[in-house]
Amino acid sequence: MSNLRNEPVDLRYLSDKDKSDFQKGGGYGEQVTAYKRARAYQGNMAYNAKRQIKTTSQTPGTGGQGGGIQMQQDRYREIGQEKRKSQSFRPDMDNSIYDIYS
């Protein structure tokens, strides 16, 4: 079947009594699961050997696409500066009506 040394016993060639004795002994299930596990491992190794290697570099955080968070921080910093500048042009309110709410 493959290049493994311990292939499971082919039950088709055993007599009915030998089949029942072999299956009741418990060794058959362990043998089959070990065989399947080895085949799965072998297949996984073959798949990884033939798999295409990732060639794109990745950086953590913003993904290397652009400024990301830095651009957003700069934008909010500019908005804050414009807001402070526009508030500095407003006249001071000396009227006592506006002191009620402060």
Side-chain angles (χ1 to χ4, degrees), residues 45-57:
M45 294 296 286
Y47 174 80
N48 286 335
K50 294 179 183 177
R51 188 178 61 172
Q52 188 176 7
I53 299 171
K54 293 181 181 178
T55 56
T56 57
S57 62

Side-chain angles (χ1 to χ4, degrees), residues 19-48:
K19 267 190 238 179
S20 66
D21 290 344
F22 188 66
Q23 288 177 337
K24 287 179 185 174
Y28 177 70
E30 293 174 5
Q31 186 183 23
V32 169
T33 53
Y35 178 73
K36 287 182 178 182
R37 205 169 42 241
R39 293 248 327 167
Y41 178 76
Q42 196 176 32
N44 191 19
M45 294 296 286
Y47 174 80
N48 286 335

Side-chain angles (χ1 to χ4, degrees), residues 7 11 13 17 25 54 56 58 64 72 74 76 79-81 83 85 97 102:
E7 293 185 3
L11 297 179
Y13 301 113
K17 184 179 181 325
K54 293 181 181 178
T56 57
Q58 295 179 345
Q72 184 181 14
D74 291 340
Y76 280 125
I79 291 171
Q81 288 173 355
K83 184 177 178 183
K85 185 178 177 183
I97 294 175
S102 60

Side-chain angles (χ1 to χ4, degrees), residues 59-71:
T59 58
T62 60
Q65 297 292 325
I69 295 171
Q70 183 67 37
M71 290 175 64

